[in-house]
Structure formats: C-alpha cells, structure tokens
Amino acid sequence: MFLQRLGSGDRAALPAQQALWMATQGSAACLGLEGEIGSLEVGKKADLILLDLRVGTANRYAKKLATCL
C-alpha cells in the first residue's frame, strides 16, 4: 500500500478508507471468513487494541508492542 504511494508520488493513490477495507473486510472475504471476522459486529471474532498516543505514553506502548511481536 505504501509502495504504491511512494512509486506514484500521489498521496491519494490508496485512500485510507480503501486501505482499511483491504486489511479488514477484504482480507476476510479473500479467506472466505467474512461471516466470522473482518468487521466489528455482534457474534464475530475480533482482536482490538487501543493505544494512547499522547506525548509521554507512546514510547511506553511501543516497547510493550515490540515485546509482544
């Protein structure tokens, strides 16, 4: 996704909305799992992470995330 923007020099080469769809619902559909995953709906499986990116807290979360990966 980012390579498309870099290659073309166009910031609108892949809109954020399309990138989000590709990473969620589009991926689930490709796997044939759109009924189970891909969107936040009642009855579907989901992993969700919320981060506080305010100054002073972002570094702490980045270290924890790097440890998880």
Side-chain angles (χ1 to χ4, degrees):
M1 291 181 273
F2 297 112
L3 292 177
Q4 181 180 3
R5 283 187 178 184
L6 288 174
S8 69
D10 181 6
R11 292 182 53 87
L14 185 62
Q17 184 177 6
Q18 184 180 359
L20 180 61
W21 182 89
M22 290 170 62
T24 56
Q25 292 176 308
S27 296
C30 286
L31 295 170
L33 298 173
E34 61 270 23
E36 298 178 40
I37 61 173
S39 60
L40 296 176
E41 297 180 44
V42 174
K44 287 190 174 183
K45 299 174 187 174
D47 291 327
L48 181 65
I49 183 170
L50 299 175
L51 299 176
D52 181 355
L53 298 178
R54 291 178 291 188
V55 175
T57 60
N59 192 29
R60 181 176 68 227
Y61 290 121
K63 288 178 184 177
K64 288 181 182 180
L65 182 59
T67 301
C68 291
L69 296 176

